Amino acid sequence: MIEIARNLEQVRERMAGAALRAGRDPAGVTLVAVTKTRSVEEVLDAFEAGVLHVGENRVEEAAPKIPAVRTALPAAQPSWHMVGHIQSRKAGDVVALFDYVHSVDRLKIARRLSRFACEAERILPVLLECNVSGEGAKFGFDLHGWERDEPRRETFYAAVEEMLALPGLEVDGLMTMAPLVADPETVRPVFATLRTLLDALRERFPTHNWRHLSMGMTDDFEVAIEEGATMVRVGRAIFGPRPV
């Protein structure tokens, strides 16, 4: 508990420093503590230390963990964020378990989430995951080089137009995962590109409220904040190295 609280304080200090360097209000950046492979006890310790937003990567791991945490915290609760890839057959579970989804990476999954959200009579806030780095192993709408590729850009805009009209979903913004590199400065262009894409969507769909950029993890969240992140997804810097 003491170590998690100390690490959390250091992460928040680094977040605030990055925001101030960019001339931003630190309060405008939300920390999502990613608890992949972490125990219920660690989640509870993080919540006691001040974590209000918790991220999970896999439905299979989240399914027992989220109810256990909710049972242990009958009053105040953290907000649960799905930050990993969603299989179509798990869409109903995602709607049942999570408060927020960062990883809508294709029209099919948006339609599935919409269906289950409507059945649950709720509005599910979501982000559109965009692969702007061009990495083949990354999920997300394929938007590498979108600035210069009009057909790719227009295909995405058409998908966005349909997703904005889906009932039960509230599209809040964009998410990306940068390549894993030793020097976070080398991925600054990835974050800058996503910010530019969000600006382009604001121009294309001006009546929609494009609020969030979810980008930046343990190794690069400061650069992401400097480039406009409003949500960062941090695990190891809070909880330490993941257990094998």
Side-chain angles (χ1 to χ4, degrees):
M1 169 63 194
I2 294 174
E3 182 178 357
I4 289 175
R6 182 172 59 247
N7 291 345
L8 181 62
E9 182 179 2
Q10 292 172 352
V11 167
R12 291 197 183 280
E13 288 175 356
R14 292 169 60 190
M15 289 173 61
L20 292 172
R21 286 194 298 274
R24 301 177 58 200
D25 181 355
V29 186
T30 297
L31 173 63
V32 179
V34 179
T35 53
K36 175 182 177 182
T37 74
R38 305 298 174 176
S39 66
V40 169
E41 290 71 23
E42 288 173 294
V43 177
L44 295 174
D45 286 346
F47 181 75
E48 185 175 342
V51 165
L52 300 178
H53 299 269
V54 179
E56 282 286 326
N57 291 71
R58 297 191 179 98
V59 171
E60 294 83 355
E61 184 180 345
K65 186 184 297 184
I66 292 176
V69 171
R70 286 176 173 160
T71 299
L73 298 171
Q77 297 277 338
S79 177
W80 289 91
H81 296 240
M82 178 58 177
V83 300
H85 180 66
I86 302 171
Q87 296 174 298
S88 293
R89 62 188 177 88
K90 298 289 185 180
D93 296 325
V94 169
V95 171
L97 288 167
F98 290 93
D99 304 298
Y100 208 103
V101 173
H102 292 231
S103 48
V104 173
D105 60 0
R106 59 205 188 280
L107 257 176
K108 179 181 178 180
I109 203 65
R111 292 170 183 149
R112 295 273 291 171
L113 292 172
S114 169
R115 170 192 157 192
F116 288 111
C118 289
E119 290 177 0
E121 298 183 338
R122 63 170 295 199
I123 302 296
L124 179 67
V126 303
L127 302 175
L128 309 181
E129 182 175 0
C130 299
N131 181 347
V132 294
S133 69
E135 280 191 287
K138 289 284 193 298
F139 293 107
F141 289 94
D142 182 7
L143 287 159
H144 180 57
W146 68 270
E147 303 99 324
R148 303 171 300 280
D149 191 332
E150 183 176 0
R152 180 170 297 184
R153 185 169 64 245
E154 291 300 323
T155 298
F156 178 61
Y157 286 164
V160 169
E161 186 169 20
E162 178 175 335
M163 288 184 285
L164 293 181
L166 288 173
L169 298 188
E170 177 63 36
V171 179
D172 271 356
L174 306 178
M175 182 271 256
T176 199
M177 293 183 65
L180 296 176
V181 294
D183 181 3
E185 281 297 327
T186 62
V187 295
R188 186 181 292 274
V190 173
F191 299 138
T193 295
L194 194 73
R195 185 192 68 242
T196 303
L197 179 58
L198 190 73
D199 291 339
L201 288 170
R202 286 172 175 148
E203 289 187 16
R204 184 66 173 247
F205 304 97
T207 62
H208 191 74
N209 184 20
W210 298 96
R211 299 189 301 161
H212 286 304
L213 282 175
S214 171
M215 55 189 196
M217 304 195 308
T218 285
D219 295 326
D220 53 25
F221 68 84
E222 289 164 289
V223 171
I225 291 171
E226 291 170 358
E227 292 299 331
T230 62
M231 291 182 175
V232 292
R233 311 178 305 273
V234 179
R236 283 182 290 107
I238 297 172
F239 299 100
R242 287 198 183 106
V244 177

